Structure formats: C-alpha cells, structure tokens
C-alpha cells in the first residue's frame, strides 16, 4: 500500500508565500501552494516554519571524535602538534571502540539535522582499524545517512615508506575518495608528488578527491595550484575538493586573481572549516593576527562552489565541536563577512546545497519533485530569522519519515507581559 503525507504551511527558501509538499512513498511527489487534501493522506501542519534540505557536513574526522584527552595536550594549539599528539596516541583502539566513537559523532551531527557527512579516515595505520570501522558503519547507516569515506594519509604519503600504498589499499577496500596532505610532506617535491598520486589514484579507481591542502599560513604553500591544474587536465574538477586552503587566505591579491579564473575553469570545490582554522592558524603571528580562513566570500562571488564544515569534535586539533552546522555557519559568515541582505538569503546554502554539490550527491539531494523526501524544519519563519536567532531544528525527515522531532523550549513567567 502506498503512503502519502501532505506537509502544509511550509516556507521554502526565498519564497514569501507558504506552500505545500506532497510526499508519496518517501519521494517528493508535488510541491505547490494549492494541493488538495486527499482521503487517506496524513496532514502535517508546519505552521510557516522554514523547510530546507538537510544539513551537510562535508568535512569531518569521525575516527578522531572524543580523542582529545587520550594523549598529551596540544599545548601550542597548532595543526602540526595536533598531528604529533594523534600519532602518539593512536593505535590503541579496537574496531568496536572506533565504531562506538564514530557512532557518537554521527548521532550528534544527525540530532543537529545533518543527513550527509564526508569523513576523512586516517589510513596511515597498517591495521586499518579506523577504515574497517567506518566501512562497517557506512553500510549500517545507509538508509538514514549519506556517509562518504576519504582515505586520508594523516601522516603523509611520502613522509615514511609505504604511505602511498596504504592509501591505494584503502581505496581497494572501499573508500569513496582519495585524500592527501601535501603541506605535511617533508619537502615541497614530496608534497607535489602526493598531489600527483592522489589525482592518479582517483582516475585509476574512479574515486572522488578531497585533499587537505595548504592548511597553513605559509604563503609559499601552493599545492592548491597543482591540485586544481591536475584536476582540470583530467577533467575531474567537479569531483575534486580542496579542503582548508588556509594559505590562500594569506596569498597576494594578484596571485589570487589569476587562480580564481583557473578554479572557475576546473569546477573544483572548496571546503572551509571556520571554527577549526580560526583556532589553529595565526599561531605564529603576533598582531595583526591572521584568521586562517580561505577567501570564502571571493570564491563565492566568483561562482566557485564553496561550503563550510565542522572538521572536529574534541580531538587533538580542536577541543570543542558538536556537529551544529548553524553554529559553524554563524562563525563562517562572520569571519568571511557575508551578511548583506542577499547573502543572508543564500548563506544557508553554505551548509546545505553547496556541501551536497561538493559530495556529488545532488542527484538525490534537494527539495524537488522526484527526489527522496529528505528535509529539515527550522524553528524560524525566514532565512534572516534563522540566521539571526541561530535557529535550532524542530524536525529531520528522511524518505518522508521523521527521524526525530524536537519541541522548542516553552517559556513561562513574567516575561509574558512584554508581548
Ligand atoms: N587533521 C588535519 O590534518 N587537519 C585538521 N584540521 C584535523 C585533523 C582536524
Ligand atoms: Fe580536516
């Protein structure tokens, strides 16, 4: 028997008038202001709340969730000490323990309305504990979450012998994307070699690419330029992502001007992790102190796909993080100065649609007839209110079914007089 639901009084992005959404068998059947109430159809009144596609977190390290306290503290607060601290403490975990932490990270994100996550998983561990755990979880959550796995060489591909082979093995085991960390390799030449390798592997195994790229304030770190060029030459720009690209935020304007044209040509995607990188970068600066954030606003204005991500939840790099994409967005639009009326109307794209474009999942993502009925409901009546109030979510719906509903806090007391 087919099941139908009619969501009434829905406010969609950029629309003043309320509309209705008819869902049949888990798919958006019809989206229109005047849909009749049919017999046998469940009616749900959303009372003018804003309905948007689910949040996407396109850059997260689920294998690191809640590992902040396992080893020595990252006293310098830098990326490089983070890598050292992780290296010292990793390797003492079973697949089951790893899965437990991955699940706790996913649960936190999903309770904040996320329904798609791309996770980097450290594969510079010959036992592949993290990868085995993540592959199992990916299968187990398949119905409720789009989970993509990046074969990420946290300790480099060429900083020790055999690193590149581990990445290749991880792809054979089932990782979806090739990762890299060129700014961590021991010399520029090895960084370049790792970028060549990542693109080569993506072509060989038909995988996506997502490189940690230039996560440093060093203006000489320009692996992004090579990543983009190789992706362009192979015709896989839209399947390639440059994550972090902090140094591009410190680059000279004339260089950036030239690069923007080339990014546009390749179709490469960008991910900025605003909370994480404002915390990790600028550590060698005194004042003025850099923010460590890539040129988000300028990429956006040039029509290049850019999105925001969480990156960490209490790991050796960053002590906080809870998967609340509205909080990430709030930090991101402050740091990137994206608050004109027009920008505020579109800012939610940075944590929804643009992340889905980055993940190459737009065939099954978005509020459009014929697509899976996946959406979230915000406790707000407009984009402005959502962002200004950092609105929470009141529901997350997957294939037309509630994953959960949240009831907004009820306020009572003398404050009522101020109505
Ligand atoms: N590893 C890395 O290389 N960079 C980061 N920002 C995190 C882990 C969180
Ligand atoms: Fe990262």
């Amino acid at each position: 028997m087919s099941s139908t639901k009619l969501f009434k009084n829905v406010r969609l992005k950029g629309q003043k008038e309320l509309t209705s959404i008819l869902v049949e068998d888990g798919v958006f059947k019809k989206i229109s202001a005047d849909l009749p109430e049919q017999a046998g159809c469940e009616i749900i009144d959303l009372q003018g709340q804003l309905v948007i596609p689910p949040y996407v977190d396109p850059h997260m390290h689920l294998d690191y969730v809640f590992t902040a306290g396992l080893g020595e503290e990252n006293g310098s607060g830098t990326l490089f000490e983070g890598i050292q601290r992780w290296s010292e403490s990793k390797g003492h975990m079973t697949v089951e323990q790893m899965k437990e932490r991955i699940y706790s990270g996913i649960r936190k994100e999903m309770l904040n309305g996320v329904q798609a996550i791309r996770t980097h998983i450290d594969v510079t561990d010959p036992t592949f504990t993290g990868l085995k755990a993540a592959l199992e979880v990916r299968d187990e959550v398949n119905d409720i979450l789009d989970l993509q796995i990046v074969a990420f060489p946290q300790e480099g591909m060429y900083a020790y012998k055999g690193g590149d082979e581990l990445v290749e093995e991880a792809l054979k085991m089932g990782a979806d994307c090739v990762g890299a960390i060129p700014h961590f390799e021991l010399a520029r030449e090895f960084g370049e070699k790792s970028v060549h390798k990542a693109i080569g592997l993506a072509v060989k195994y038909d995988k996506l690419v997502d490189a940690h790229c230039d996560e440093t304030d060093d203006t000489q770190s320009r692996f992004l330029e090579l990543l983009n060029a190789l992706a362009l030459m192979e015709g896989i720009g839209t399947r390639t992502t440059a994550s972090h690209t902090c140094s591009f935020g410190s680059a000279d304007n004339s260089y950036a001007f030239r690069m923007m044209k080339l990014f546009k040509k390749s179709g490469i995607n960008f991910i900025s992790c605003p909370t994480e990188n404002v915390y990790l970068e600028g550590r060698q600066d005194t004042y003025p102190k850099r923010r460590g954030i890539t040129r988000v606003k300028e990429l956006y204005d040039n029509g290049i796909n850019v999105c925001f991500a969480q990156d960490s939840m209490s790991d050796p790099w960053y002590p906080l993080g809870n998967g609340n994409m509205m909080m990430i967005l709030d930090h991101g639009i402050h740091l990137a100065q994206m608050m004109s009326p027009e920008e505020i109307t579109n800012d939610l794209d940075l944590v929804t649609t643009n992340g889905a474009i980055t993940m190459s999942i737009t065939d099954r993502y978005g509020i459009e007839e014929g697509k899976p009925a996946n959406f979230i409901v915000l406790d707000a009546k407009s984009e402005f209110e959502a962002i200004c109030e950092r609105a929470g979510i009141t529901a997350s719906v997957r294939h037309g079914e509630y994953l959960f509903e949240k009831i907004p806090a009820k306020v009572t007391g003398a404050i009522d007089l101020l109505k």
Side-chain angles (χ1 to χ4, degrees):
M1 222 187 69
S2 80
S3 88
T4 55
K5 285 195 183 77
L6 184 67
F7 294 89
K8 279 178 27 175
N9 295 319
V10 168
R11 188 174 303 274
L12 293 177
K13 182 190 163 194
Q15 294 188 5
K16 291 227 155 33
E17 303 300 320
L18 299 184
T19 193
S20 296
I21 298 178
L22 182 68
V23 173
E24 199 175 285
D25 295 331
V27 171
F28 290 120
K29 179 79 180 170
K30 199 110 191 80
I31 301 167
S32 167
D34 42 24
L35 291 177
E37 297 183 8
Q38 304 159 348
C41 175
E42 189 183 343
I43 313 286
I44 297 148
D45 187 349
L46 291 181
Q47 300 177 338
Q49 294 179 101
L50 188 65
V51 168
I52 61 171
Y55 286 137
V56 175
D57 186 359
H59 187 123
M60 180 61 204
H61 293 261
L62 286 173
D63 51 343
Y64 301 166
V65 168
F66 303 135
T67 58
L70 292 187
E72 293 285 314
E73 193 193 339
N74 177 353
S76 67
T78 59
L79 166 73
F80 294 98
E81 187 175 340
I83 297 174
Q84 183 197 334
R85 297 297 173 211
W86 167 247
S87 178
E88 289 160 2
S89 66
K90 77 181 193 185
H92 303 291
M93 232 170 290
T94 64
V95 172
E96 282 313 310
Q97 286 167 332
M98 190 66 92
K99 278 180 75 173
E100 220 169 278
R101 286 187 305 91
I102 291 175
Y103 267 116
S104 60
I106 288 178
R107 184 177 159 78
K108 270 181 164 293
E109 295 233 326
M110 290 194 73
L111 277 171
N112 281 302
V114 172
Q115 289 188 27
I117 302 175
R118 175 182 282 175
T119 180
H120 293 255
I121 296 289
D122 181 11
V123 297
T124 57
D125 153 24
T127 66
F128 290 116
T129 307
L131 182 63
K132 286 176 189 161
L135 288 168
E136 283 183 25
V137 172
R138 189 182 64 188
D139 282 347
E140 289 161 9
V141 299
N142 188 35
D143 285 346
I144 56 168
L145 176 71
D146 287 284
L147 183 61
Q148 269 177 7
I149 298 171
V150 185
F152 174 50
Q154 178 69 79
E155 300 197 50
M157 281 199 212
Y158 300 108
Y160 65 101
K161 284 206 164 40
D164 57 343
E165 287 159 18
L166 291 175
V167 174
E168 183 157 4
E169 182 58 27
L171 297 174
K172 288 187 196 158
M173 286 170 70
D176 306 284
C177 315
V178 192
I181 183 164
H183 52 276
F184 181 74
E185 302 290 353
L186 298 178
R188 180 185 297 217
E189 189 180 324
F190 293 118
E192 290 169 357
K193 194 172 163 188
S194 75
V195 176
H196 280 280
K197 184 75 183 180
I199 294 286
L201 288 172
V203 171
K204 181 172 174 189
Y205 293 99
D206 191 25
K207 304 278 184 176
L208 301 161
V209 182
D210 190 333
H212 280 63
C213 198
D214 305 325
E215 191 180 7
T216 163
D217 293 320
D218 175 6
T219 57
Q220 301 292 309
S221 187
R222 292 186 168 182
F223 297 107
L224 170 60
E225 172 184 294
L226 180 61
L227 180 71
N228 184 66
L230 294 174
L232 175 63
M233 283 155 67
E234 292 294 346
I236 57 168
T238 57
R239 293 169 59 76
T240 300
T241 301
S243 280
H244 299 296
T245 65
C246 309
S247 77
F248 192 58
S250 293
D252 184 84
N253 283 336
S254 66
Y255 175 74
F257 174 79
R258 175 167 174 266
M259 292 313 300
M260 288 292 181
K261 302 249 181 298
L262 294 171
F263 300 151
K264 180 89 181 145
K265 205 165 168 188
S266 76
I268 194 173
N269 304 285
F270 283 80
I271 299 177
S272 168
C273 303
T275 51
E276 182 91 19
N277 282 127
V278 80
Y279 180 73
L280 288 175
E281 307 307 316
R283 292 284 180 157
Q284 287 80 35
D285 292 351
T286 53
Y287 287 90
K289 196 188 275 281
R290 282 171 288 183
R291 304 166 183 211
I293 307 298
T294 198
R295 286 167 145 88
V296 175
K297 184 184 177 78
E298 294 74 14
L299 290 166
Y300 184 90
D301 288 346
N302 276 282
I304 295 156
N305 187 50
V306 56
C307 51
F308 288 133
Q310 169 74 75
D311 206 12
S312 290
M313 267 185 218
S314 302
D315 63 22
W317 291 266
Y318 184 70
L320 310 178
N322 63 5
N324 182 341
M325 298 310 292
M326 179 57 84
M327 200 160 86
I328 300 298
L329 179 65
D330 188 39
H331 282 85
I333 62 173
H334 280 85
L335 290 161
Q337 303 174 327
M338 293 175 75
M339 292 189 216
S340 71
E342 192 193 333
E343 283 166 341
I344 286 186
T345 303
N346 293 312
D347 278 342
L348 283 163
D349 291 353
L350 294 162
V351 285
T352 56
T353 309
N354 295 8
I357 293 170
T358 296
M359 288 181 68
S360 291
I361 56 170
T362 48
D363 58 331
R364 54 192 183 276
Y365 180 92
I367 302 178
E368 290 168 37
E369 290 169 10
K371 288 189 173 175
N374 303 337
F375 60 87
I376 55 177
V377 185
L378 299 189
D379 183 18
K381 299 220 154 54
S382 67
E383 291 85 356
F384 175 83
E385 188 187 347
I387 288 172
C388 190
E389 298 290 336
R390 290 191 188 179
I393 74 164
T394 60
S396 183
V397 174
R398 183 89 173 170
H399 300 301
E401 303 292 331
Y402 278 95
L403 287 172
F404 60 85
E405 281 182 272
K406 272 189 196 175
I407 299 159
K410 185 168 182 252
V411 180
T412 56
I415 194 83
D416 274 352
L417 294 174
L418 301 178
K419 266 185 192 160

